[in-house]
Amino acid sequence: MRRTFSKGGVHPADRKLAADSAIEILPLPQRMYISMSQHLGAPAQPLVQKGDRVRAGQLIGASSGFISANIHSSVSGTVVAVEPYADLAGNPAMHVIIDVEGDEWEESIDRTPDIVRDITMSPAEIVKRIADCGVVGLGGASFPTHVKLSPPPGKKADVLIVNGAECEPYLTSDYRLMLEHAEEVLLGARIMMKALGVTKGYIGIEDNKPEAIRKMRELTASSYPEIEVVSLRKKYPQGGEKQLIDAVTGRRVPSMGLPIDAGAVVQNVGTAFAVYEAVQKNKPLFEGVMTVTGECLDSQRNFRLRVGTPFGEILEAVGGIPSQTAKIISGGPMMGKAVSNIAAASVKSTSSLLLLTEKQTKRRMEGECIRCGKCVEACPMGLEPYLLNKLARAGHNDELERNKVYDCIECGCCMFTCPANIPLLDYIRTAKADVMRIMRGRPKK
């Protein structure tokens, strides 16, 4: 039986144009730009300086706080600068800039294609290795994985859920990983289950990916009985942690709560693969899989590429930017970020470059709210977006807090479904940030 979450959601067209495109290795560019801010939390502190020679897998940025992550070089070569460089939004962030020379890797990394199935590390050793290798969540938020696998005192998980929903239109990198590296993904899940001390795992996959469901079920039936493959009815935002927990287990995360409050830890398919490589191959997270797609492109591609590859180099590999391109988005069309700086470079969590035409991006004229309630029906958090929008425009922060604006997951379902073309999320997102800032500034009781 197909499952799904209980509140709201929308059904945008799949547009999985690159689904049949096997993962290709993207050639190395001549220069890499490796950000020290590739994760949620404090930026890493650079450990190298101009003139230093580095190898792929070498630690070049040290975690600088509890919520932070190590950064490793993705290439071998010479450091030509350690300085601010513009990210995809054009904002300066500290980068290590490396001229590529050959492709030498740290000798401690197992580069053989053999799958290592025996998990010999203890839970504590697993968490440490994941932290050492700089693994972060690859589903969008880039939360350091070792922190997620270390629940705070008084909190305990009894289930691990691997997110294979990939519910955003266009994205196919997780799908290709499940097809081409299914066992490594399942081994990554088993490793994380051992770290958490749980005996039950799930992998949730939407039913528009039948080949991935079939492959995963074949493997779990023969070798991974502790992991259940759950077929999910296609609905956005099924990949949201709270929605996925609801869909898979029927549990609800409380308001302002975290998945651990429902006894669950959720990790992305790409994260599971990165955990496998870190623990079984001693390979830091310095490369990943991303989709390059859009109707205006002649070919749709899925690339395995090194972290720090300039977007311009990636787009050259698909023939350059077509003249009809009006906007480039990093991520999916619902929650991705517009790229304003094509010279910016990929980071650990870069999942896609989506090219859209003017027709696809042009906003329609905003009308008056007709109180139809469609935004309320669509909200997966059970909020009232039309009301939050009204309060946000009026600057009523107290009322916004009382109406739980902090629970908004910024999925965009309200805007997608609004017949009056009101940019609901634009106002709600800004108001949410203001309310959260006020709440954080209050003295702790």
Side-chain angles (χ1 to χ4, degrees):
M1 182 182 72
R2 298 176 305 159
R3 306 180 203 174
T4 192
F5 53 98
S6 56
K7 283 186 181 180
V10 294
H11 298 83
D14 287 359
R15 301 189 187 279
K16 304 287 190 179
L17 307 178
D20 295 329
S21 300
I23 298 170
E24 308 170 54
I25 305 296
L26 188 73
L28 296 177
Q30 293 182 336
R31 178 169 285 187
M32 301 292 272
Y33 301 81
I34 303 176
S35 174
M36 296 292 103
S37 300
Q38 300 191 46
H39 47 266
L40 194 68
Q45 293 297 314
L47 299 176
V48 293
Q49 56 189 359
K50 182 178 180 179
D52 287 350
R53 283 192 52 79
V54 296
R55 295 195 293 184
Q58 180 178 330
L59 184 67
I60 60 172
S63 166
S64 62
F66 175 66
I67 300 181
S68 187
N70 287 337
I71 304 291
H72 299 78
S73 177
S74 59
V75 293
S76 61
T78 300
V79 176
V80 295
V82 180
E83 62 187 20
Y85 183 78
D87 63 14
L88 61 84
N91 298 318
M94 189 60 66
H95 281 66
V96 173
I97 304 172
I98 303 169
D99 275 350
V100 179
E101 300 163 2
D103 191 22
E104 299 176 48
W105 289 36
E106 290 285 270
E107 294 178 357
S108 57
I109 300 172
D110 178 0
R111 299 184 65 183
T112 67
D114 303 331
I115 295 177
V116 182
R117 296 179 177 85
D118 292 335
I119 303 167
T120 58
M121 289 187 183
S122 69
E125 289 171 332
I126 289 171
V127 172
K128 184 179 184 304
R129 173 65 63 81
I130 289 170
D132 289 345
C133 287
V135 180
V136 300
L138 301 181
S142 303
F143 194 84
T145 301
H146 67 280
V147 179
K148 243 188 186 182
L149 296 178
S150 307
K155 308 281 187 181
K156 180 165 174 57
D158 59 18
V159 64
L160 172 78
I161 302 174
V162 177
N163 176 13
E166 201 165 43
C167 59
E168 279 249 27
Y170 291 99
L171 307 190
T172 57
S173 54
D174 285 350
Y175 173 64
R176 293 310 310 184
L177 265 179
M178 288 188 285
L179 287 188
E180 299 180 39
H181 296 281
E183 187 161 17
E184 294 98 315
V185 169
L186 291 173
L187 277 164
R190 178 175 279 175
I191 290 165
M192 289 187 285
M193 288 172 66
K194 182 174 181 179
L196 289 165
V198 305
T199 58
K200 181 63 179 177
Y202 297 93
I203 178 166
I205 308 172
E206 287 195 328
D207 59 8
N208 59 351
K209 306 172 186 67
E211 285 301 305
I213 292 172
R214 179 191 60 77
K215 186 152 193 173
M216 287 292 182
R217 281 183 170 162
E218 287 177 358
L219 274 170
T220 54
S222 63
S223 305
Y224 302 87
E226 74 276 26
I227 301 174
E228 179 182 342
V229 180
V230 179
S231 176
L232 303 169
R233 183 157 56 89
K234 183 178 81 73
K235 188 165 66 165
Y236 174 86
Q238 195 119 236
E241 288 187 327
K242 296 176 181 179
Q243 286 66 45
L244 191 60
I245 292 168
D246 181 10
V248 170
T249 68
R251 303 176 189 176
R252 301 294 296 275
V253 178
S255 176
M256 288 200 76
L258 298 171
I260 194 67
D261 296 317
V265 169
V266 180
Q267 298 283 10
N268 176 262
V269 161
T271 310
F273 182 72
V275 164
Y276 163 79
E277 292 200 312
V279 175
Q280 303 296 80
K281 297 287 190 173
N282 197 32
K283 180 184 174 185
L285 178 54
F286 61 75
E287 63 178 349
V289 178
M290 69 175 294
T291 305
V292 183
T293 185
E295 280 87 353
C296 57
L297 289 173
D298 291 333
S299 64
Q300 316 294 320
R301 314 281 278 278
N302 293 292
F303 289 121
R304 172 176 284 278
L305 77 167
R306 307 286 177 89
V307 168
T309 303
F311 288 159
E313 299 273 354
I314 300 167
L315 292 168
E316 282 299 316
V318 295
I321 303 173
S323 59
Q324 62 268 45
T325 303
K327 180 180 282 189
I328 300 174
I329 294 175
S330 176
M334 300 296 285
M335 295 185 75
K337 296 180 179 178
V339 177
S340 64
N341 173 30
I342 202 65
S346 67
V347 295
K348 293 176 182 180
S349 61
T350 302
S351 62
S352 171
L353 284 179
L354 169 61
L355 282 66
L356 299 174
T357 64
E358 184 176 354
K359 182 179 179 181
Q360 291 174 305
T361 59
K362 188 174 182 179
R363 285 194 176 185
R364 297 176 182 174
M365 186 176 295
E366 180 181 347
E368 294 292 330
C369 176
I370 60 174
R371 306 295 193 274
C372 64
K374 286 187 176 180
C375 62
V376 178
E377 293 176 7
C379 180
M381 295 303 297
L383 304 176
E384 298 176 284
Y386 76 91
L387 175 60
L388 297 178
N389 171 64
K390 182 178 179 181
L391 295 172
R393 292 188 186 217
H396 293 166
N397 288 334
D398 289 346
E399 284 296 314
L400 284 161
E401 184 176 348
R402 275 193 282 273
N403 282 277
K404 301 183 179 180
V405 68
Y406 45 73
D407 278 340
C408 172
I409 61 172
E410 303 179 24
C411 63
C413 287
C414 54
M415 279 181 63
F416 179 84
T417 196
C418 178
N421 307 310
I422 299 171
L424 296 161
L425 181 57
D426 292 355
Y427 289 96
I428 294 171
R429 179 188 283 124
T430 301
K432 174 188 169 183
D434 290 341
V435 170
M436 294 295 288
R437 188 160 47 247
I438 291 168
M439 294 171 67
R440 285 194 295 268
R442 289 176 184 151
K444 289 184 171 60
K445 295 180 180 179

